Amino acid sequence: MSHAGRSRLSQPDTLRLLWAYSPTDPSNENQISKHTVRGSKSLNLLDPQVNKSSSLPANLLRKDFLNPSVKVPNDSTTYWCQTFKMPALAKKHHMVKFDVVVQPDSVGIVHHVLAYACYTPMNESYEGLGAPCFVGILPSEIVNCRQTFMTWAIGGEPFYFPDNVGFSIGGPGDPVYFVVETHYDNPQRRNDIVDSSGFAVWYTSELRSQEAGILEAGHTVAPSMLIPPNLASFQISGFCNDECTKQALPPQGITVFGSFLHSHMIARKIRARHYRNGQDVGNLGRDEHYDVHYQQIVTLSTPRTVLPGDAILVECDYDSTNVKRMTYVRHASALPCHDHRHVRLPGRLGDKGRDVSRVSLPLSEDRSWRLYECHSS
């Protein structure tokens, strides 16, 4: 293997695995048939998420949250928002695993699925309500549910929380309602798609010592995102500066244990750089060979601490050489650039803090830190 090849294997980037085999067995070791069945697969060889089922508790419970036979519009892109209610639990539980459920006929149509927790009061009649997102149909209570707690994109695998970490559900202050946003990519504008995809979650009454949340950084979906055609490399960055983290993070900081880099069709590279005192101290996430068809939450080999006053720079490189005109942003398949970092919250169960939404809005003084969000527009 070349030095370049060994270097790539030592980095947590997406790799393209090429495979081939013959449909017939060789008659002897000297008569190997031509390998006519061939293909490729994107994967991350260094991701320790593989085969973690053995570490799950025995009393695990499962709950599926699926879209109710949604008739997908014959538009090239649709974002569908569906409201769900958490299961009624007698006491606090921890979610320790989640995975997407994609219906067989929807493979390739479902591009990504996000789940947003609702920490503000919700009208009970909204349970089960679903409609296209972002078009002014849904009530404001649903539209304002934007605190991400589950993420999946095409090619992703199940996500297992670290053995000492869980996401709190069913406890005081935990969300009762949440919204699942499903992105349907329908370039052929088919009108015969009926979908019941969604999320499956696994949870347990055996509470773990640490609780999880999500820190989201990147570039907002905004008209300022424009990409000229015929460029091999064009970079757009989102910056979460030191003032942002000073307001949003607790004094002892947060521990980042996983990273989900997300963009769309013409993205080629994504980096989430971590700065302290103006110095680059490493990456919170990086993929120099990004594949839009393989988007996986990657567990960091060494968890990293982000402190108040640190800064985060998310850089997305795009290749528009095959695009003939200006790429304009909307909720579609070309541009959005995000890094969703799964974080372990400071302290142990029962520690008090503040809830925050979009950087620094204190919603409550009696709940653990839930979500930290920094965007550049």
Side-chain angles (χ1 to χ4, degrees), residues 298-319:
V298 175
T299 302
L300 276 60
S301 58
T302 302
R304 300 183 63 89
T305 299
V306 178
L307 297 173
D310 289 358
I312 301 168
L313 176 65
V314 179
E315 301 171 330
C316 296
D317 288 1
Y318 298 93
D319 179 357

Side-chain angles (χ1 to χ4, degrees), residues 6 11 14 68 72 94 109 122 135 138 183 213 255 260 263 297 306 314 322 349:
R6 289 193 298 271
Q11 300 294 331
T14 298
V72 179
H94 272 168
I109 301 295
M122 178 75 72
V135 294
L138 293 169
H183 174 200
T255 302
F260 175 67
S263 191
I297 301 173
V306 178
V314 179
N322 294 320
L349 299 179

Side-chain angles (χ1 to χ4, degrees), residues 282-302:
N283 293 312
L284 295 169
R286 168 193 147 172
D287 196 336
E288 297 293 321
H289 308 279
Y290 181 79
D291 182 355
V292 70
H293 299 296
Y294 178 72
Q295 303 189 44
Q296 174 69 17
I297 301 173
V298 175
T299 302
L300 276 60
S301 58
T302 302

Side-chain angles (χ1 to χ4, degrees), residues 23-34:
T24 59
D25 293 333
S27 56
N28 59 67
E29 61 182 14
N30 297 317
Q31 298 292 328
I32 299 177
S33 303
K34 183 177 181 180

Side-chain angles (χ1 to χ4, degrees), residues 227-235 265-268 317-327 334-335:
I227 295 183
N230 302 315
L231 293 178
S233 179
F234 185 87
Q235 187 175 103
M265 295 301 294
I266 60 176
R268 297 295 178 265
D317 288 1
Y318 298 93
D319 179 357
S320 63
T321 52
N322 294 320
V323 181
K324 304 306 179 185
R325 56 186 179 181
M326 184 74 76
T327 300
L335 291 181

Side-chain angles (χ1 to χ4, degrees), residues 19-219:
W19 54 266
Y21 66 90
S22 171
T24 59
D25 293 333
S27 56
N28 59 67
E29 61 182 14
N30 297 317
Q31 298 292 328
I32 299 177
S33 303
K34 183 177 181 180
H35 288 33
T36 57
V37 183
R38 305 175 184 180
S40 65
K41 179 176 176 59
S42 292
L43 47 77
N44 188 318
L45 292 177
L46 299 183
D47 184 9
Q49 280 286 306
V50 179
N51 196 23
K52 288 196 63 177
S53 297
S54 59
S55 65
L56 295 176
N59 65 343
L60 208 59
L61 300 171
R62 171 175 171 163
K63 175 69 174 177
D64 289 2
F65 300 95
L66 306 179
N67 288 326
S69 299
V70 171
K71 180 73 166 62
V72 179
N74 61 341
D75 294 326
S76 59
T77 288
T78 298
Y79 285 77
W80 184 269
C81 287
Q82 188 72 36
T83 308
F84 294 93
K85 188 175 184 178
M86 287 288 189
L89 301 174
K91 62 179 181 178
K92 180 175 188 161
H93 286 60
H94 272 168
M95 180 174 68
V96 296
K97 172 189 173 183
F98 63 83
D99 193 13
V100 75
V101 178
V102 177
Q103 302 301 309
D105 292 342
S106 299
V107 173
I109 301 295
V110 176
H111 178 268
H112 71 250
V113 188
L114 302 175
Y116 300 106
C118 304
Y119 285 103
T120 54
M122 178 75 72
N123 190 316
E124 292 185 1
S125 66
Y126 294 160
E127 180 184 355
L129 183 62
C133 316
F134 318 122
V135 294
I137 297 177
L138 293 169
S140 59
E141 294 94 328
I142 295 177
V143 173
N144 292 332
C145 292
R146 304 302 296 173
Q147 299 198 9
T148 312
F149 74 103
M150 290 190 291
T151 59
W152 176 92
I154 190 168
E157 301 290 339
F159 181 74
Y160 300 83
F161 288 86
D163 292 343
N164 65 330
V165 179
F167 189 94
S168 179
I169 60 173
D174 289 336
V176 176
Y177 295 91
F178 66 99
V179 176
V180 171
E181 174 191 299
T182 306
H183 174 200
Y184 296 108
D185 194 19
N186 184 18
Q188 298 179 340
R189 297 179 180 270
R190 290 171 48 190
N191 61 3
D192 61 341
I193 303 171
V194 178
D195 179 68
S196 298
S197 299
F199 274 116
V201 303
W202 287 259
Y203 55 99
T204 175
S205 59
E206 296 179 13
L207 300 184
R208 298 180 170 186
S209 62
Q210 300 286 340
E211 293 195 341
I214 286 185
L215 184 154
E216 182 179 350
H219 200 294

Side-chain angles (χ1 to χ4, degrees), residues 251-269:
Q252 61 270 59
I254 55 177
T255 302
V256 180
F257 60 82
S259 182
F260 175 67
L261 303 173
H262 176 64
S263 191
H264 288 219
M265 295 301 294
I266 60 176
R268 297 295 178 265
K269 301 178 182 181

